[in-house]
């Protein structure tokens, strides 16, 4: 059995009085593709954003390769860990955002090579060779010197994936990567993600794309109201969902 | 009409001399104000509460009181400490502090107008807060800063005229002296207005041009 790379233990998140996550437990193994589905407001995006600490959890633990992310508990109290440690951990977790968040003042290639050069200290020539290779991998070799404003949404999201891959992450986190795209552009992004999964990338994907979940996911989590309601293989959850809320949700979206 | 032209011939060299000091006051206090404003803007968005309070206090004080009062205050108070320094030094001090307060707000607004997702994307690839600010957020603010900063320079140009209150020989003071010497109120002030307009119109059209150019780049 493959090694566990990501562990989430009893994760809670409050926004003021609103409790968005009510105790999430999740283990992700190396090479696994975990797909998180559920209605909006179910807490699935917040869960993903807590994993790399863009959202600070209220309680609970996140372990990345066995090490606490962001804080650790001392006598039941949350004690923040140094930012520098967090920066290092984030460098090994790729994140893809719903709205791409490409750096608009940089070309596609500059977006991809920025972190390898600035964070890892890779020399420019090596970084650009890597950047070109990654842009080729997402099918955008010819767009290397274009600014994001001149790329379609699907192209921007593929550059964003290349940017995340450039740090050679151990896990990729996808936060509704196709939700902001025109329908005809969804396919090209999903294809890149499918290829990544085939190559053995560990992935946690929050999505409304049930086809992707069914085809690519090793495990599907259905979240609702801040808890994981049901967790199963795609075959199980899509053909014989056990929980009535899962059935209700799937009946609406399928 | 010929009388007007005659007067004009005599006024223009006088105004030109004042224009030098006007541009000098604008440039020096503008540069100092920009440095001060940038530091203040960073302090206002810092995590350190003391910095935030000090910076906010400064901005409130200098935006909430008349510039003329500030000039008179620094000229009077600092003039006692440094009696040999020329008056324009204190005026520059007051103008820079005043401009710095306004520029701080311009810069802060520009930084905060950058989509939060930019910082998140930068942090998600392992950049520190400082690096993300330097490499990702600041470069995007420069483009948004240019037009309001040029407008601020135009405003500052006009504000230097308050230096006449403490006897600094800039364009307004020369103009006023010329009026009391010759009695040519209308033509003198019309030419003085033209002198300021040349500078401010040049600056604002530069701002408009930059705005259009930056828009085109998307």
């Amino acid at each position: 059995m493959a090694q566990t790379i990501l562990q989430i233990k009893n994760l809670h998140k409050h926004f003021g009085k609103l409790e968005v996550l009510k105790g999430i437990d999740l283990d992700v193994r190396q090479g696994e593709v975990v797909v998180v589905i559920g209605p909006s407001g179910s807490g699935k995006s917040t869960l993903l954003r807590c994993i790399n600490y863009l959202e600070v959890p209220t309680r609970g633990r996140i372990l990345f390769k066995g090490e606490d992310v962001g804080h650790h508990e001392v006598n039941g109290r949350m004690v923040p860990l140094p930012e520098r440690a967090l920066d290092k951990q984030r460098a090994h977790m790729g994140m893809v955002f719903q709205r791409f968040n490409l750096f608009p003042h940089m070309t596609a290639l500059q977006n991809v090579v920025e972190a390898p050069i600035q964070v890892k200290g890779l020399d420019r020539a090596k970084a650009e060779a890597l950047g070109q290779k990654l842009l080729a991998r997402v099918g955008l070799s010819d767009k290397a010197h274009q600014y994001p404003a001149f790329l379609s949404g699907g192209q921007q999201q593929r550059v964003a994936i290349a940017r995340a891959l450039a740090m050679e992450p151990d896990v990729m986190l996808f936060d509704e990567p196709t939700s902001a795209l025109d329908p005809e552009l969804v396919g090209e992004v999903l294809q890149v993600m499918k290829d990544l999964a085939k190559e053995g990338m560990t992935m946690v994907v929050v999505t409304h794309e049930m086809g992707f979940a069914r085809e690519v996911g090793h495990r599907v989590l259905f979240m609702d109201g801040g808890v994981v309601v049901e967790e199963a293989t795609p075959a199980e959850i899509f053909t014989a969902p056990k929980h009535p809320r899962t059935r209700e949700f799937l009946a609406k979206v399928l | 009409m010929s009388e007007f032209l005659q007067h004009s011939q005599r006024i223009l060299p006088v105004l030109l001399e004042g224009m030098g000091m006007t541009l000098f006051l604008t440039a020096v206090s503008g540069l100092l104000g920009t440095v001060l404003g940038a530091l203040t803007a960073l302090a206002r968005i810092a995590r350190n509460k003391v910095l935030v309070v000090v910076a906010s206090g400064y901005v409130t004080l200098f935006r909430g009181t008349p510039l003329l009062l500030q000039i008179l205050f620094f000229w009077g108070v600092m003039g006692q400490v440094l009696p040999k320094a020329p008056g324009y030094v204190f005026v520059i001090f007051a103008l820079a502090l005043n401009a710095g307060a306004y520029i701080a707000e311009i810069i802060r607004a520009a930084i905060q107008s950058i989509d939060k997702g930019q910082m998140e994307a930068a942090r998600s690839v392992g950049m520190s807060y400082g690096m993300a600010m330097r490499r990702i957020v600041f470069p995007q603010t420069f483009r948004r800063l240019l037009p309001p900063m040029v407008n601020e320079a135009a405003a500052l140009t006009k504000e230097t005229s308050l230096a006449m209150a403490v006897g600094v020989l800039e364009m307004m003071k020369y103009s006023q002296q010329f009026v009391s010497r010759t009695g040519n109120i209308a033509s003198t002030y019309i030419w003085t207005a033209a002198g300021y307009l040349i500078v401010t119109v040049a600056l604002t059209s530069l701002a408009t041009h930059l705005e259009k150019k930056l828009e085109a780049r998307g």
Side-chain angles (χ1 to χ4, degrees):
Chain A
M1 181 127 122
Q3 206 184 341
T4 300
I5 192 163
L6 200 59
Q7 270 181 296
I8 293 158
K9 293 183 177 176
N10 192 29
L11 193 75
H12 289 258
K13 173 67 184 175
H14 295 253
F15 287 110
K17 283 200 172 152
L18 186 70
E19 191 173 18
V20 182
L21 297 178
K22 299 174 182 167
I24 306 284
D25 293 282
L26 172 66
D27 283 7
V28 179
R29 287 185 299 278
Q30 183 108 47
E32 197 177 20
V33 177
V34 175
V35 181
V36 185
I37 61 171
S40 21
S42 59
K44 52 195 196 304
S45 274
T46 305
L47 168 64
L48 198 75
R49 290 165 57 81
C50 279
I51 293 176
N52 68 355
Y53 226 69
L54 285 179
E55 217 66 77
V56 177
T58 312
R59 208 141 41 87
R61 288 178 82 183
I62 305 142
L63 292 154
F64 177 53
K65 296 198 283 188
E67 282 172 27
D68 277 297
V69 175
H71 70 270
H72 60 162
E73 281 187 24
V74 180
N75 301 328
R77 288 217 339 266
M78 306 239 318
V79 178
L81 289 164
E83 285 251 332
R84 208 165 277 221
L86 180 57
D87 293 341
K88 279 214 175 103
Q89 287 171 318
R90 279 176 174 152
H92 294 280
M93 292 189 242
M95 176 96 176
V96 177
F97 299 87
Q98 186 176 346
R99 305 217 52 94
F100 332 132
N101 298 354
L102 286 184
F103 308 134
H105 59 305
M106 297 180 178
T107 63
L109 184 61
Q110 286 168 339
N111 264 276
V112 177
V113 302
E114 176 68 11
I117 292 173
Q118 299 296 331
V119 178
K120 267 193 188 169
L122 206 64
D123 77 68
R124 185 162 291 276
K126 272 187 194 152
E128 285 188 353
L130 170 73
Q132 292 286 9
K133 205 180 82 189
L134 287 169
L135 286 174
R137 188 160 156 195
V138 299
L140 291 171
S141 291
D142 55 328
K143 304 287 184 192
H145 301 293
Q146 291 280 10
Y147 283 91
F150 297 99
L151 300 175
S152 72
Q155 291 169 337
Q156 287 190 54
Q157 193 61 297
R158 286 187 281 152
V159 173
I161 293 172
R163 176 176 68 180
L165 290 175
M167 290 301 283
E168 295 170 324
D170 299 311
V171 58
M172 286 283 283
L173 310 171
F174 290 87
D175 185 9
E176 300 197 27
T178 58
S179 296
L181 295 176
D182 291 337
E184 76 270 25
L185 303 177
V186 168
E188 62 191 63
V189 172
L190 290 181
Q191 189 54 50
V192 169
M193 291 168 64
K194 280 177 199 168
D195 293 344
L196 265 182
K198 250 183 243 158
E199 289 158 29
M201 176 60 77
T202 311
M203 294 161 66
V204 182
V205 185
V206 170
T207 187
H208 292 290
E209 292 296 327
M210 297 304 145
F212 177 84
R214 195 199 302 250
E215 192 183 332
V216 185
H218 298 134
R219 200 144 48 103
V220 177
L221 265 62
F222 171 66
M223 277 182 73
D224 194 14
V227 295
V228 176
V229 174
E230 188 167 347
E231 182 182 340
T233 64
E236 287 165 345
I237 211 160
F238 287 113
T239 51
K242 288 195 185 75
H243 200 285
R245 266 147 86 196
T246 318
R247 275 198 290 271
E248 202 184 318
F249 175 75
L250 289 175
K252 272 186 211 154
V253 296
L254 288 179
Chain B
M1 191 65 203
S2 70
E3 205 185 342
F4 175 79
L5 287 175
Q6 237 177 15
H7 289 312
S8 304
Q9 258 185 350
R10 289 166 53 207
I11 296 159
L12 286 177
V14 175
L15 288 181
L16 211 58
E17 222 178 303
M19 174 79 95
M21 178 54 89
T22 293
L23 293 178
F24 174 73
L25 291 177
T26 307
V28 177
S29 54
L31 284 176
L32 292 174
T34 303
V35 174
L36 189 62
L39 294 174
T40 307
L42 286 178
R44 284 207 71 175
I45 57 169
R47 277 176 277 192
N48 184 328
K49 288 281 177 296
V50 179
L51 283 178
V52 175
V53 169
V54 170
S56 307
Y58 156 62
V59 169
T60 307
L61 183 63
F62 279 84
R63 296 208 318 168
T65 53
L67 175 56
L68 181 56
L69 186 150
Q70 293 161 20
I71 289 172
L72 292 172
F73 179 85
F74 286 107
W75 178 76
V77 174
M78 289 177 73
Q80 285 177 334
V81 184
L82 300 164
K84 285 193 183 143
Y88 67 77
V89 172
F90 311 126
V91 171
I92 285 174
F93 200 81
L95 282 172
L97 279 167
N98 185 271
Y102 283 93
I103 291 169
E105 287 302 277
I106 293 174
I107 294 177
R108 182 181 65 90
I111 291 173
Q112 291 181 335
S113 76
I114 303 298
D115 178 31
K116 188 163 120 308
Q118 290 293 307
M119 178 56 88
E120 290 185 349
R123 297 307 299 272
S124 81
V125 285
M127 288 191 195
S128 67
Y129 176 82
M131 187 188 280
M133 273 288 178
R134 207 172 62 244
R135 297 285 312 173
I136 306 303
V137 178
F138 288 161
Q140 294 183 54
T141 65
F142 290 153
R143 298 168 55 178
R144 292 180 198 199
L145 275 175
L146 271 172
M149 285 296 284
V150 176
N151 282 325
E152 177 62 25
L156 191 57
T157 309
K158 293 178 287 173
E159 285 165 355
T160 58
S161 64
L162 291 173
M164 75 169 276
V166 295
V168 174
L169 284 167
E170 41 67 69
M171 195 155 53
M172 199 66 225
K173 182 71 185 170
Y174 271 112
S175 164
Q176 191 226 7
Q177 282 181 344
F178 194 82
V179 168
S180 45
R181 213 167 53 233
T182 65
N184 295 321
I185 300 174
S187 57
T188 307
Y189 287 147
I190 286 169
W191 277 113
T192 312
Y196 282 104
L197 273 171
I198 288 169
V199 181
T200 54
V201 169
L203 284 170
T204 44
S205 55
L206 175 68
T208 314
H209 172 73
L210 288 171
E211 231 163 325
K212 277 197 190 127
K213 208 174 143 191
L214 296 178
E215 238 167 62
R217 243 177 67 185

